[in-house]
C-alpha cells in the first residue's frame, strides 16, 4: 500500500479523497493555490504545499509544481480527483515516469477515451451500441452534409476533444448545417486547440444514463450499476439518481455485462464511467470518462462501496477481491449539486460565507469543503456542496431530499438550493418522467 498520497485537487473532492486515505491509514499531502491557503482541504491534510497563484493554469494545472510537491514531501502516489489534470494523459504518464503511481487508468486509455472519435471506434469494436453518426472525423462541410442526409436531421456536430458541453451544435435542417458547423468548429478550436469534429444523430428525448465500472490490474472488472444524470442545464448535470427511474434491473444487468466484458478485453484499469443516451428502450454510447465522477456518491450509497478506496487499492496493485455477484443494490439515492450561483440567472456568487448549517439525520450525506467564515474564491468551479440522500425507495429519497434542502443554511453567497427545492416539488420529477431537455425548459419557464 502507498506511504503517502498527494491529492492534486481542491474543494469537496480533495476532502473526499482525504477521507478515504485516512480510513486506509495513509497520510495525505494537499496542494493549494495562494487563494486556497485557508481552505478546508489544506487544513485537514497531514501536509500541504502551496503550488502557485490563484489562476488554475499557474497552480492546479501546473504539472511541474505538482510533481515537485510530491517529490519534496515524499508522496508515492497522486490522486487527481475530477476536473483539472484528471483526464490529462501526459500528466498520468509523467507521474509514472517520476516513479509515482497515478491513481487512475493508464495514460494510453486516458488518451484513447479523451478523443471521442477514438473512444467510439473502440467501443463499437467491443460490441457497445453507439449513437448513429459519422464513422469518424468529418473533414469538411460537404462530408457533413452527406452524413446528415444519411442519418437524417436533426444532427449534432461535436468536438472530438469535447468536454463540458463545449464545441457541440445542433443543426435542425440542411439550411442550418453550415452555421452549426462553423460555430462548433470555432468553439472546439478555441476551447481545445483542436477543431476536429464528428456528427451524431441528435436524439430528441433521451435520458442520460451512465454506468460505473471498476477494474483491477489482474483482469477483474465489475460494474456498480447506473446513474441517471438527465437533469442538465447547458449539458451540465445538476441532479443525479441511482438507480435510474427509467430502466429495470434486467436492463442494468444486460448493459453491465456488455460493458464489463468490453473493458476486460480492452485491459482497462481503475474507475471509469461509460455515458449513454437512452431512448425508446435503446442505449447508445456517447463517451467514457476515465476518472472519478462528481456524482459518484449516489452509486456509493446504493452499493455500499467506497469508490475512492477501491481506486487506491487497485492503483496499489490489489485485486478487487469480489465479483459481480457480490455487488448488490439497495434502495435509491439522489444527489443535488449545490453551487454558489444565483438560482435565477446562474451568475457566479463568490464571497464570504457568514453562516453554514448542513442538514443531517438518517441517510443524509453532505460532501462539502464549506465552513462559516470561508470565502468562496471567484477563480474556480462554483460547486460548494453535494447533498446526497439514500432511502429504501425513490419516493422516500425524494421526501428525505426535500426535508434536507429545507434544513440546509448557507448565508453570505447565493446558492442553487432554492432551485433544487423547486425541482423536487415538480410532479414531472416526482414521476421520474423526464428527459435531458426537461430542466432547460423548466428553468426557462419560470
Ligand atoms: P461533454 O463531454 O461535452 O459533456 P457529451 O458527449 O458527454 O459531451 O454530452 C453531454 C450532453 O450533451 C449529454 O449528456 C446530452 O445531454 C447531450 N448530448 C450529447 N450527445 C447527444 C445526442 N447525440 N443527442 C442529444 N443530446 C446529446
Amino acid at each position: 500500500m502507498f506511504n503517502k498520497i498527494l491529492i492534486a485537487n481542491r474543494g469537496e473532492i480533495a476532502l473526499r479523497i482525504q477521507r478515504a486515505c485516512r480510513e486506509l491509514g495513509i497520510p495525505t499531502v494537499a496542494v493549494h493555490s495562494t487563494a486556497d491557503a485557508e481552505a478546508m482541504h489544506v487544513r485537514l491534510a497531514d501536509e500541504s504545499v502551496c503550488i502557485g497563484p490563484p489562476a488554475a493554469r499557474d497552480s492546479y494545472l501546473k504539472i511541474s509544481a505538482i510533481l515537485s510537491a510530491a517529490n519534496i514531501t515524499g508522496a508515492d502516489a497522486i490522486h487527481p480527483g475530477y476536473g483539472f489534470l484528471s483526464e490529462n494523459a501526459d500528466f498520468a504518464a509523467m507521474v509514472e515516469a517520476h516513479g509515482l503511481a497515478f491513481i487512475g487508468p493508464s495514460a494510453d486509455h486516458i488518451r484513447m477515451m479523451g478523443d471521442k472519435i477514438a473512444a467510439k471506434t473502440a467501443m463499437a469494436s467491443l460490441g457497445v451500441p453507439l449513437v448513429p453518426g459519422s464513422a469518424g472525423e468529418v473533414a469538411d462541410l460537404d462530408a457533413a452534409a452527406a452524413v446528415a442526409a444519411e442519418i437524417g436531421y436533426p444532427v449534432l456536430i461535436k468536438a472530438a476533444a469535447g468536454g463540458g458541453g463545449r464545441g457541440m451544435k445542433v443543426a435542425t435542417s440542411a439550411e442550418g448545417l453550415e452555421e452549426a458547423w462553423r460555430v462548433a468548429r470555432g468553439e472546439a478550436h478555441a476551447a481545445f486547440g483542436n477543431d476536429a469534429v464528428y456528427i451524431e444523430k441528435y436524439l430528441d428525448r433521451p435520458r442520460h444514463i451512465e454506468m460505473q465500472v471498476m477494474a483491477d490490474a489482474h483482469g477483474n472488472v465489475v460494474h456498480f450499476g447506473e446513474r441517471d444524470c438527465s437533469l442538465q442545464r447547458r449539458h451540465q448535470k445538476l441532479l443525479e439518481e441511482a438507480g435510474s427511474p427509467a430502466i429495470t434491473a434486467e436492463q442494468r444487468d444486460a448493459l453491465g455485462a456488455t460493458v464489463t466484458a468490453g473493458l476486460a478485453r480492452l485491459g482497462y484499469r481503475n474507475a471509469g464511467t461509460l455515458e449513454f443516451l437512452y431512448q425508446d428502450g435503446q442505449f447508445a454510447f456517447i463517451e467514457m470518462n476515465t476518472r472519478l465522477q462528481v456524482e459518484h456518491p449516489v452509486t456509493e450509497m446504493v452499493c455500499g462501496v467506497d469508490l475512492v478506496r477501491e481506486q487506491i487499492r487497485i492503483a496499489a496493485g490489489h485485486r478487487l477481491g469480489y465479483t459481480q455477484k457480490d455487488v448488490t443494490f439497495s434502495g435509491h439515492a439522489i444527489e443535488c449539486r449545490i453551487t454558489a450561483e444565483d438560482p435565477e440567472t446562474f451568475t457566479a456568487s463568490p464571497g464570504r460565507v457568514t453562516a453554514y448549517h448542513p442538514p443531517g439525520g438518517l441517510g443524509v450525506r453532505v460532501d462539502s469543503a464549506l465552513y462559516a467564515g470561508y470565502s468562496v474564491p471567484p477563480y474556480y468551479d462554483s460547486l460548494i456542496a453535494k447533498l446526497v440522500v439514500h432511502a429504501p425507495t425513490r419516493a422516500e429519497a425524494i421526501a428525505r431530499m426535500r426535508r434536507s434542502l429545507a434544513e440546509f443554511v448557507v448565508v453570505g453567497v447565493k446558492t442553487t438550493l432554492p432551485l433544487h427545492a423547486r425541482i423536487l416539488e415538480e410532479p414531472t420529477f416526482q414521476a421520474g418522467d423526464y428527459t435531458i431537455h426537461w430542466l432547460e425548459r423548466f428553468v426557462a419557464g419560470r
Side-chain angles (χ1 to χ4, degrees):
M1 195 34 94
F2 301 119
N3 295 314
K4 197 184 273 186
I5 294 180
L6 182 143
I7 300 165
N9 217 300
R10 63 181 302 282
E12 69 84 19
I13 197 61
L15 272 190
R16 165 72 192 88
I17 298 161
Q18 272 180 26
R19 287 174 174 142
C21 293
R22 188 142 295 150
E23 290 180 18
L24 285 165
I26 305 170
T28 57
V29 180
V31 292
H32 66 91
S33 69
T34 50
D36 277 341
E38 302 298 321
M40 195 56 108
H41 80 277
V42 177
R43 293 179 173 209
L44 290 184
D46 295 294
E47 286 172 79
S48 63
V49 180
C50 181
I51 51 167
R57 66 174 178 280
D58 300 321
S59 50
Y60 296 105
L61 291 171
K62 194 154 179 136
I63 295 177
S64 56
I66 291 168
L67 291 175
S68 301
N71 196 272
I72 57 173
T73 54
D76 52 0
I78 296 185
H79 195 305
Y82 55 67
F84 293 130
L85 295 169
S86 62
E87 289 177 296
N88 183 320
D90 294 338
F91 177 61
M94 274 189 242
V95 168
E96 297 202 328
H98 281 73
L100 309 174
F102 179 78
I103 302 176
S106 70
D108 287 346
H109 285 144
I110 297 174
R111 194 168 286 119
M112 172 190 279
M113 300 306 169
D115 175 344
K116 295 171 142 200
I117 294 173
K120 288 186 75 165
T121 308
M123 289 302 160
S125 75
L126 297 169
V128 176
L130 306 184
V131 180
S134 57
E137 182 180 346
V138 178
D140 53 36
L141 189 57
D142 286 343
V147 173
E150 192 188 323
I151 60 176
Y153 288 91
V155 297
L156 190 58
I157 302 171
K158 297 174 86 171
R166 284 169 302 172
M168 218 191 289
K169 281 285 161 278
V170 184
T172 49
S173 64
E175 291 69 54
L177 185 67
E178 184 172 356
E179 165 83 3
W181 171 262
R182 212 173 29 75
V183 175
R185 283 184 50 117
E187 259 184 48
H189 184 74
F192 312 110
N194 173 357
D195 62 6
V197 294
Y198 61 106
I199 294 185
E200 274 177 5
K201 176 91 188 156
Y202 179 73
L203 302 182
D204 59 345
R205 51 195 160 77
R207 300 179 75 108
H208 173 120
I209 296 179
E210 59 187 31
M211 268 269 143
Q212 174 72 56
V213 296
M214 191 69 76
D216 69 17
H218 308 276
N220 304 298
V221 189
V222 298
H223 71 84
F224 289 105
E226 82 287 4
R227 296 182 284 260
D228 197 315
C229 309
S230 303
L231 289 187
Q232 304 181 352
R233 184 180 160 269
R234 301 201 170 154
H235 306 303
Q236 298 293 311
K237 300 161 188 166
L238 253 83
L239 183 155
E240 304 94 354
E241 312 192 48
S244 169
I247 71 164
T248 62
E250 290 70 35
Q251 284 175 296
R252 166 196 297 156
D253 292 346
L255 184 66
T258 306
V259 160
T260 50
L263 291 186
R265 271 176 60 199
L266 203 61
Y268 189 82
R269 186 187 74 213
N270 216 280
T273 297
L274 284 93
E275 299 191 331
F276 295 88
L277 296 178
Y278 175 74
Q279 183 172 311
D280 301 327
Q282 303 288 327
F283 288 99
F285 171 84
I286 47 171
E287 69 161 343
M288 176 165 185
N289 291 317
T290 51
R291 57 170 165 81
L292 189 66
Q293 305 261 116
V294 176
E295 59 273 22
H296 77 277
V298 288
T299 300
E300 295 188 321
M301 303 312 276
V302 296
C303 294
V305 62
D306 179 337
L307 292 172
V308 178
R309 182 176 194 275
E310 295 306 282
Q311 285 193 290
I312 295 170
R313 288 179 52 245
I314 286 168
H318 292 237
R319 289 174 182 276
L320 277 177
Y322 45 84
T323 62
Q324 191 63 52
K325 68 176 173 3
D326 301 312
V327 177
T328 54
F329 302 92
S330 155
H332 193 87
I334 304 177
E335 170 181 281
C336 289
R337 297 191 188 192
I338 318 296
T339 53
E341 288 176 324
D342 184 306
E344 305 278 332
T345 62
F346 297 96
T347 47
S349 176
R352 190 160 182 273
V353 176
T354 52
Y356 176 65
H357 176 80
L362 182 65
V364 178
R365 165 175 173 180
V366 180
D367 280 19
S368 172
L370 274 199
Y371 59 88
Y374 175 69
S375 281
V376 178
Y379 312 105
Y380 314 109
D381 190 273
S382 57
L383 183 71
I384 52 170
K386 300 188 313 206
L387 173 55
V388 185
V389 300
H390 181 222
T393 63
R394 185 169 185 270
E396 288 162 290
I398 291 173
R400 185 159 283 164
M401 182 59 90
R402 293 178 77 179
R403 77 105 176 126
S404 300
L405 286 165
E407 277 178 27
F408 211 149
V409 179
V410 181
V411 183
V413 295
K414 290 182 183 164
T415 77
T416 48
L417 281 164
L419 172 64
H420 284 287
R422 292 204 37 220
I423 294 170
L424 270 283
E425 272 170 30
E426 274 300 302
T428 307
F429 174 75
Q430 292 181 1
D433 184 21
Y434 52 79
T435 72
I436 59 166
H437 304 300
W438 180 77
L439 184 65
E440 204 86 55
R441 290 183 199 128
F442 175 69
V443 169
R446 282 182 305 178

